[in-house]
Each structure stands twice: as C-alpha cells, then as structure tokens.
Amino acid sequence: MTDNDRNTIATVELGGEGGPTVGVQGLGCMGMSEFYGATDELSARDTLDAALEAGVTLFDTADVYGRGGNEEFLTPFVGAHRDEITLATKFALVRSDDPGYRGVSNDPAYIRTAVEASLRRLNTDVIDLYYMHRHDPAVPFVESVGAMAELIQQGKVKQIGLSEVTGPELREAHAVHPIAALQSEWSLFSRDVEKSALGAAVELGVTLVPYAPLGRGFLTGSFTDAGKDLGESDFRKHQPRFTGDNARANAALLEPVKKIAAARGVTAAQVALAWVQQRAQVHGLPVVPIPGTRKRSRLLENVAATRLTLTPEELALLEPIAGQVAGDRYPDMSLTSAARE
C-alpha cells in the first residue's frame, strides 16, 4: 500500500444507523503492552500513527492488558487525536498476583469502579465503546448491563458492547439496553461465534468486532510451533492449538491460504483478513476486525486486505479449514461463549 492509497478504506456505522462512523478495520492494541513478548515502544507508537493515517479509527484496549498499562500507553495518542478516533476499552477480567489467574466480575459496584479507573488512565472524559470483557452467568444482565446503561446516562460512556457471549445471551442483554458491538474471536481457525451469536447480531443490528482474525498470528504462517518458535513471555507458548502435535497439524491446514496468496500476489494474512470481511457480507453483518500489530509495515499490510476480494472458488477452498483445527482456543475455555453453547 502506498501513500496515495491511505484514507481510502471503507467505513461502517458502529452499532447501526446513528452510531459513530469507523473504518472497516480497527486496531487491537493489547500486544503493545503484554502477551506477545517485548515491545519497541517507538515502533508501537509509530504504528498507532500509521493506523490513523490509513483510515483506521477504532482503537481497542482493556483494563486487564498490562494491568492498566495498555490504557496508559495509549493516553498520549488518545489525547492528540481524541476527536478523530473511536476509543474502546473493557472491564470484567480480574487479575491477581498469580499470573495464570483470571477472575470475572460483572458486579455493578465493580463496573462503576472500573470505568472510573479506565477514564483516569486514559485521561478522557468519555469512553466511546465500553465492553463487558467476559460474562458471568451468575450476575443477571438486568444488573450488569443495567449498570453499563447508567454510565451512558451519566455521560461517561457513549455505547456499550459485550464479548464472548452466546446468541441467547446477546438477545437478553440487548433487551436491557441496545448493544452496539459484539467482540468475539472469529477467523478461519475459530468460528464458534457462528453457532448462535452471529445470527443474533444480524437480527439485532449489532456490529461484530472479531478479535484474533489472524488466528493470533498463526494464519500469517510466521511460526509453526509456538513452543519452539516464540519467546518465553509469549502467551501463545501455552495455547493448545499452537504447540506440539496440534501446531504441526494446524500448520498443514495453511496450504490453501498460502496457495491463494501466492496466486494473487498477496500475503497469507491478507487472505485471512479478506475472508473475515467477505464471510460477514454473506450474513449481511457489519464487521470491524481488530488485528493487532506493533509494526507499521504489518499495519499497512493488514489494511490493504480490506481491498482484496476473494473469488467464490477461493472461498470454497478455505471453507473446510476451521473444522479440521486441532486444539482449543485457550487452555481453559470456561470463560468463552463456546462453554455455554
């Protein structure tokens, strides 16, 4: 993608008519602070600037990323471009001194505390899109989403979203207050969201925001076994589908992706991202994938995928991949929608 191509990506209204207009691809910022090894801060900040220049306007973070550090990392960028961007962050995942611990809180009192902390770290008066990062079935949506709706009434939040919920859960929450966006993992490797949530999103006019649309990097072909190819601080070393026999089996599934990429003169990542956009079109669903990267070159590569159209034959070649993937998305799937389908 050249300089002349910038600011040309399509846009969509987040949450339907009347919602903020955002580029059809956003940027997941999690890896700039944690989970994917050491970060070059200057390079990451350059990537933020490159994203905005390229027409990306939805920037995604969460209070759990870097234990608040990712929100703080974004603060200078947010302050410099507040009126140009749509800022999304999340609450609900709770960490402790145990690095492997992930708790969930949807308690209204916790939500009120969490939003104040995020506003403070981000140094902003309002969050454009505030997600419930994970759903605790023990807390009724009338309480948790009701508390989120109160934040809108108080002017602290503009829109609300959910992450990793089922279709029935999305409908139940939407009945309490309109849900603008559903963030769930969706890629050639991960299609759990199609079981029930995708249909509910179409029915309700909810925008789907796929995270990990590149299969946490595996769909790029950049590594074949996280246990051997990645550093100790990279959390993918402990993900079932990215290590050992599972990784080797899954690497073989990339052959159709590589074949299409070679024939079209594009990258495997671009093929994977184009698939997400076109799969959404099949369902008549507005979609804003949020691939994460810390490098300008990767950012521009990803954005260029919004202008790639796969043929019906290419889509058919890719269709069987998800059904053959070995291993779960996480070592513990209990916090995902798949556990409640």
Side-chain angles (χ1 to χ4, degrees):
M1 184 167 132
T2 68
D3 288 343
N4 292 332
D5 293 322
R6 295 182 183 180
N7 299 310
T8 60
I9 68 172
T11 60
V12 65
E13 289 185 320
L14 190 65
E17 187 175 354
T21 299
V22 299
V24 293
Q25 187 179 112
L27 179 62
C29 300
M30 178 183 78
M32 293 180 175
S33 296
E34 194 177 17
F35 301 113
Y36 291 100
T39 292
D40 181 325
E41 182 174 330
L42 290 178
S43 177
R45 294 199 179 283
D46 180 59
T47 300
L48 292 173
D49 292 334
L52 189 57
E53 292 168 9
V56 171
T57 53
L58 177 63
F59 292 82
D60 182 270
T61 183
D63 60 1
V64 74
Y65 302 157
R67 299 175 182 264
N70 195 239
E71 290 180 328
E72 293 174 342
F73 175 81
L74 289 177
T75 298
F77 177 77
V78 171
H81 303 286
R82 192 65 190 91
D83 295 336
E84 303 171 77
I85 69 172
T86 296
L87 177 63
T89 192
K90 316 177 195 73
F91 75 89
L93 288 178
V94 182
R95 297 172 68 170
S96 73
D97 292 336
D98 176 359
Y101 173 80
R102 294 290 187 277
V104 178
S105 179
N106 292 172
D107 180 76
Y110 177 81
I111 295 171
R112 289 188 284 269
T113 299
V115 75
E116 294 297 342
S118 287
L119 287 168
R120 182 176 65 253
R121 284 189 292 265
L122 290 162
N123 193 28
T124 187
D125 296 328
V126 63
I127 294 165
D128 299 313
L129 175 60
Y130 198 44
Y131 287 104
M132 179 188 296
H133 207 160
R134 291 293 185 270
H135 170 51
D136 177 3
V139 180
F141 282 117
V142 69
E143 296 180 12
S144 56
V145 174
M148 296 171 76
E150 290 177 3
L151 301 179
I152 295 178
Q153 296 166 2
Q154 295 165 4
K156 297 175 181 178
V157 169
K158 291 183 180 179
Q159 292 182 302
I160 59 175
L162 302 176
S163 181
E164 288 283 355
V165 296
T166 67
E169 290 168 345
L170 180 57
R171 292 186 181 91
E172 183 180 351
H174 194 81
V176 178
H177 188 278
I179 303 299
L182 168 65
Q183 185 172 135
S184 289
E185 186 166 351
W186 196 30
S187 73
L188 280 167
F189 267 16
S190 302
R191 296 176 63 173
D192 293 344
V193 69
E194 295 181 26
K195 293 178 181 177
S196 68
L198 189 149
V202 172
E203 172 190 322
L204 300 171
V206 176
T207 300
L208 184 62
V209 180
Y211 73 86
L214 292 174
R216 304 193 186 281
F218 201 85
L219 288 166
T220 69
S222 59
F223 66 93
T224 57
D225 185 339
K228 296 179 179 179
D229 300 339
L230 301 176
E232 286 302 319
S233 61
D234 194 307
F235 89 120
R236 291 172 292 184
K237 288 179 70 71
H238 309 290
Q239 305 303 301
R241 62 178 48 172
F242 298 147
T243 56
D245 290 342
N246 286 344
R248 287 184 284 276
N250 292 335
L253 300 179
L254 296 179
E255 288 309 310
V257 180
K258 294 177 179 178
K259 180 179 179 180
I260 293 169
R264 297 292 295 272
V266 297
T267 67
Q270 289 171 327
V271 171
L273 290 171
W275 178 89
V276 172
Q277 293 284 353
Q278 287 179 246
R279 183 67 182 170
Q281 291 171 13
V282 169
H283 294 277
L285 179 72
V287 64
V288 186
I290 51 169
T293 184
R294 297 171 288 191
K295 296 180 179 179
R296 173 181 283 261
S297 60
R298 292 295 188 191
L299 182 282
L300 297 180
E301 174 187 333
N302 292 345
V303 170
T306 66
R307 293 183 287 277
L308 173 63
T309 300
L310 302 174
T311 68
E313 292 76 17
E314 289 167 338
L315 292 170
L317 193 62
L318 298 171
E319 182 63 24
I321 290 178
Q324 303 174 54
V325 175
D328 285 331
R329 293 192 278 134
Y330 297 96
D332 178 2
M333 291 285 286
S334 64
L335 298 183
T336 69
S337 60
R340 302 189 300 278
E341 289 284 1

